[in-house]
Amino acid sequence: MVENNRVLLVNPEETRGRFDFKGIIDDEPLDLEVLYTILIDYNIETYLYDAIRSKDSLEEILAFFKPTIVYTNGIVKQVPFLLEYCSRIKKYDSAIKTVIGGVYAEHNYKHLYHTHLDYVMRSYDPFVMIGLLACFHNNKMDISSLNGLCYKENQQWRENDIVFFDINKLPEVNRSYFYKNINAFRYLELKPIAQVRTAYSCPYDCSFCYRTSLNCGRYVAKDIQKVVTEIKNIACDNIYIVDDDFLFNPSRLKEFIDLIKQENIQKKYVCYGRTDFILKHKDLIMQLKEIGFYYILVGLESITDSHLNHYNKKISADNNAACVKFLNEIHIHCMGMMIVDLDFKRTDFKNLYKWIKEINLKHVALSIYTPLPGSELYDNYKNQLITSDLRKWDYVHLVVKPTHMSVKRYYFHYYILVFKLLRLAKKHGIYDFLDWRKLKKDFLTLLFAK
């Protein structure tokens, strides 16, 4: 019986002794909560350990809970921690089975083949864990039938076939962990905030991102009635819709708006959306504003058409300016996500600041261009990498040498731009919750780090 197992779920660290966004953006471990829900539904004793927030060490939790299997997941910058955890677990008790899943594992599962790792779950399907536990207790069950599972056989790694997963099969999330730690989660000034996923994978194909190829390249949306019911049942006034792009299907969004009104749900929302959709469906965006949409995270990426074409965004710089202007007019906060490209010159940094100031884009997220393993462009850069430390795949480190200047000079201009934008934000009166001294210190530490 699978009930005989004790499963430890580990929410991994994101950084260690480096700049992070703790106290600015603190995410609920939603995917682990989904897996927790399913395991509990199958009467499997399960414990969720948050390595970011817990005062207990991993070893202390192992001694306390005595798991038979440990699962953890993460994105690229967390991979060194995931593998370190597996090593520590095996050192503590070699009989404990170790499993890694998550976004990085979907595309880069072979990078995770490690002496201290037993299984890689490269499918988003969380029910694979139930099948795996059943195989532990029934030798007749065929482990090779488990969706996308990678496992060792005769000291060799085997890879099962993978098929897309329909997220409509997921139960409503058990949020006992969230409620116990509710004040730990925020998105900027929205605190507390709960996360909701209404779709998986992305319907677009930007070249710098691999989200579109997740779930076998199959974009799957959850029934909107289920979504609204889940939102209604969450005892939290702020909802972060973590879909790669929530603003996609106009008829689905209209149904969402109607149901939210029908249920008289009064909450604030954060979601991702694209410039072209926003400009094409202004009436719909205004209706979303009426029901509480507070932040829309828009992948503006660049202020030049040449860069936008390179990223395969299928939008123009003029579109981006018009989008910011429209959202400002209807009082939805636009979080403009911008890419600082590797080919930037000094004038590009200055022009980006000038554009942001003139267009009155108050909220900005700056990312250094980072070719992600598994993305379309990664192969073009893999021979030019200047580091192998995956912790630096965090969008605030260079992983490829800039085209027109030294690494040190690039960082100098990048952090000058960051400081100017922070000063501009402070002038606007936003981010009043920030500890400005700590933030400045963290950035300076990062700037002068070796």
Side-chain angles (χ1 to χ4, degrees), residues 294-450:
Y294 189 82
Y295 276 108
I296 297 182
L297 285 55
V298 186
L300 302 175
E301 320 304 1
S302 179
I303 63 172
T304 69
D305 289 336
S306 59
H307 282 120
L308 291 169
N309 291 335
H310 178 63
Y311 304 149
N312 198 33
K313 286 293 294 187
K314 300 183 176 69
I315 56 176
S316 70
D318 288 343
N319 291 153
N320 279 342
C323 177
V324 175
K325 181 179 179 182
F326 168 66
L327 292 178
N328 283 344
E329 287 173 351
I330 65 172
H331 304 293
I332 286 182
H333 297 290
C334 176
M335 171 59 79
M337 296 181 291
M338 311 295 301
I339 294 176
V340 182
D341 205 278
L342 297 171
D343 68 358
F344 263 35
K345 299 177 181 177
R346 180 184 178 186
T347 53
D348 294 305
F349 287 98
K350 289 188 172 183
N351 289 340
L352 179 53
Y353 175 77
K354 182 180 178 182
W355 186 90
I356 289 169
K357 185 177 181 180
E358 290 179 350
I359 209 69
N360 197 26
L361 177 60
K362 296 178 181 178
H363 300 81
V364 185
L366 283 182
S367 297
I368 293 176
Y369 184 89
T370 305
L372 292 171
S375 69
E376 180 183 329
L377 291 183
Y378 180 77
D379 286 344
N380 296 338
Y381 290 96
K382 64 182 180 181
N383 294 325
Q384 303 173 44
L385 298 178
I386 59 174
T387 180
S388 59
D389 184 355
L390 292 181
R391 292 173 300 173
K392 292 188 176 181
W393 263 257
D394 57 3
Y395 303 103
V396 293
H397 280 89
L398 279 164
V399 300
V400 177
K401 190 180 184 304
T403 307
H404 299 296
M405 60 183 76
S406 68
V407 169
K408 186 175 182 179
R409 178 57 59 177
Y410 185 97
Y411 275 136
F412 173 79
H413 290 298
Y414 172 71
Y415 285 108
I416 289 295
L417 175 58
V418 170
F419 288 140
K420 287 169 69 176
L421 290 175
L422 286 173
R423 187 171 58 187
L424 189 62
K426 192 173 184 180
K427 183 178 178 181
H428 283 307
I430 60 177
Y431 304 159
D432 286 340
F433 61 90
L434 291 180
D435 182 339
W436 290 96
R437 288 185 178 181
K438 179 181 182 302
L439 194 63
K440 184 176 180 180
K441 181 181 177 181
D442 286 342
F443 269 114
L444 286 172
T445 300
L446 189 62
L447 176 59
F448 294 108
K450 291 183 179 180

Side-chain angles (χ1 to χ4, degrees), residues 201-206 209-214 216-219 244:
S201 190
C202 181
Y204 299 102
D205 57 353
C206 303
C209 180
Y210 59 56
R211 307 293 302 190
T212 186
S213 55
L214 294 177
C216 303
R218 181 78 170 266
Y219 172 78
D244 296 304

Side-chain angles (χ1 to χ4, degrees), residues 1-9 35-47 65 67-71 95-99 118-119 121 125-143 145-147 149 151:
M1 295 293 290
V2 296
E3 293 95 327
N4 294 333
N5 279 282
R6 297 164 64 86
V7 181
L8 177 64
L9 306 177
L35 185 52
Y36 176 89
T37 302
I38 291 168
L39 291 165
I40 292 296
D41 286 349
Y42 276 82
N43 298 314
I44 299 165
E45 195 168 356
T46 308
Y47 186 86
F65 185 64
T68 57
I69 185 168
V70 179
Y71 171 91
I96 299 173
K97 300 296 184 183
T98 53
V99 188
D118 294 303
Y119 303 96
M121 285 174 53
D125 182 355
F127 291 97
V128 170
M129 179 64 81
I130 302 300
L132 180 59
L133 294 174
C135 287
F136 291 164
H137 296 278
N138 187 344
N139 291 331
K140 293 182 180 180
M141 294 194 68
D142 184 9
I143 195 172
S145 67
L146 298 180
N147 188 12
L149 185 70
Y151 58 97

Side-chain angles (χ1 to χ4, degrees), residues 80-267:
F81 299 124
L82 306 185
L83 295 176
E84 177 196 313
Y85 294 162
C86 291
S87 297
R88 287 164 62 184
I89 290 163
K90 291 295 188 180
K91 184 177 181 180
Y92 178 86
D93 183 351
S94 61
I96 299 173
K97 300 296 184 183
T98 53
V99 188
I100 290 178
V103 171
Y104 187 84
E106 281 203 44
H107 280 300
N108 302 285
Y109 51 93
K110 291 184 179 181
H111 297 178
L112 297 171
Y113 292 169
H114 191 272
T115 305
H116 299 110
L117 181 61
D118 294 303
Y119 303 96
V120 179
M121 285 174 53
R122 62 188 181 105
S123 163
Y124 185 68
D125 182 355
F127 291 97
V128 170
M129 179 64 81
I130 302 300
L132 180 59
L133 294 174
C135 287
F136 291 164
H137 296 278
N138 187 344
N139 291 331
K140 293 182 180 180
M141 294 194 68
D142 184 9
I143 195 172
S144 67
S145 67
L146 298 180
N147 188 12
L149 185 70
C150 304
Y151 58 97
K152 294 174 186 174
E153 185 177 81
N154 299 323
Q155 303 302 313
Q156 297 292 320
W157 280 94
R158 307 294 182 190
E159 298 147 10
N160 289 348
D161 292 338
I162 183 171
V163 296
F164 80 93
F165 177 72
D166 183 355
I167 67 169
N168 284 287
K169 296 178 181 178
L170 296 178
E172 191 168 318
V173 180
N174 179 322
R175 295 185 187 264
S176 55
Y177 176 81
F178 172 77
Y179 294 129
K180 193 180 297 183
N181 301 274
I182 191 167
N183 290 318
F185 308 111
R186 74 183 306 157
Y187 186 88
L188 302 179
E189 75 273 24
L190 298 183
K191 179 182 180 181
I193 192 165
Q195 294 190 348
V196 170
R197 184 181 297 285
T198 87
Y200 192 63
S201 190
C202 181
Y204 299 102
D205 57 353
C206 303
S207 61
F208 57 85
C209 180
Y210 59 56
R211 307 293 302 190
T212 186
S213 55
L214 294 177
N215 205 28
C216 303
R218 181 78 170 266
Y219 172 78
V220 180
K222 190 180 292 186
D223 178 76
I224 209 67
Q225 179 65 68
K226 289 183 179 180
V227 172
V228 173
T229 299
E230 180 178 4
I231 289 173
K232 181 180 179 180
N233 291 340
I234 299 173
C236 185
D237 292 334
N238 302 307
I239 303 295
Y240 183 177
I241 300 173
V242 295
D243 303 4
D244 296 304
D245 202 313
F246 181 63
L247 307 183
F248 174 62
N249 185 330
S251 59
R252 183 171 183 263
L253 289 174
K254 186 66 172 69
E255 184 181 0
F256 175 81
I257 292 166
D258 291 343
L259 287 171
I260 292 290
K261 289 181 177 178
Q262 193 178 105
E263 296 289 343
N264 193 30
I265 298 172
Q266 304 293 324
K267 301 191 179 189

